[in-house]
Amino acid sequence: PLNWFLSGFLIYVVYSYFTPPPYQLPIAKHPETTIFREYTPKQLREYDGRTPQTKIYMGVCGKVYDVSRGRNFYGPDGPYGNFAGRDASRGLAKNSFEMDVLTPIDQPLDTLEDLDADEINSLKEWHSHFASKYEYVGKLVNESQYSS
């Protein structure tokens, strides 16, 4: 009787070892919903990616894009990190990553009227890049134009 018990136990262990565990379906999660809205430069500054949970938004040509997928580029330690949470239009047009080309957030939006033809073309190419790659989440407006 002991041999029968040990044989049965051995068969069970071998069977359990070679049988894959039952497949479990992953729990479906609804993607986070983003509501299209207007952003002032001060409100946009909140989306600079300073923590891993913070989204990264960037303004280009009056439009706001969610560039969180490109955290390696637009995050705090990325090469374009100073554009995160800001209107990056002038910096992109001039291909400059310096802070002095960015309009301070307490100033009205840059009208970009003094850009030359090459800078305008560069900005159009950048805008086209963002429009094709990232989600358009809002409009960038001055404090005086903000309609809550």
Side-chain angles (χ1 to χ4, degrees):
L2 183 60
N3 288 340
W4 286 103
F5 174 74
L6 291 175
S7 298
F9 182 72
L10 180 63
I11 290 171
Y12 172 76
V13 169
V14 169
Y15 175 78
S16 298
Y17 183 76
F18 288 108
T19 304
Y23 181 74
Q24 294 181 357
L25 292 174
I27 297 173
K29 292 183 182 179
H30 189 279
E32 187 176 334
T33 304
T34 302
I35 298 173
F36 183 88
R37 61 174 259 213
E38 292 181 340
Y39 295 88
T40 65
K42 288 181 182 175
Q43 292 170 330
L44 187 62
R45 191 71 187 137
E46 298 171 20
Y47 299 93
D48 63 359
R50 69 184 81 122
T51 67
Q53 294 79 24
T54 307
K55 289 189 172 217
I56 303 173
Y57 288 179
M58 200 163 94
V60 181
C61 296
K63 296 183 177 185
V64 178
Y65 294 97
D66 181 351
V67 296
S68 301
R69 289 184 318 168
R71 185 171 289 277
N72 293 341
F73 293 104
Y74 307 107
D77 298 326
Y80 303 96
N82 57 341
F83 294 156
R86 304 287 296 266
D87 178 15
S89 300
R90 180 169 292 276
L92 294 172
K94 293 189 169 284
N95 291 312
S96 173
F97 308 112
E98 302 300 321
M99 289 300 288
D100 61 339
V101 298
L102 299 175
T103 305
I105 61 171
D106 58 347
Q107 302 276 325
L109 292 174
D110 191 348
T111 60
L112 307 171
E113 292 174 350
D114 61 333
L115 297 180
D116 63 32
D118 288 338
E119 292 168 339
I120 290 171
N121 285 336
S122 176
L123 182 57
K124 285 180 181 178
E125 288 175 14
W126 276 108
H127 182 248
S128 155
H129 167 75
F130 285 101
S132 66
K133 189 169 184 177
Y134 298 108
E135 182 181 4
Y136 174 39
V137 295
K139 183 178 175 184
L140 189 59
V141 297
N142 282 312
E143 294 282 340
S144 61
Q145 298 170 319
Y146 183 65
S147 61
S148 65

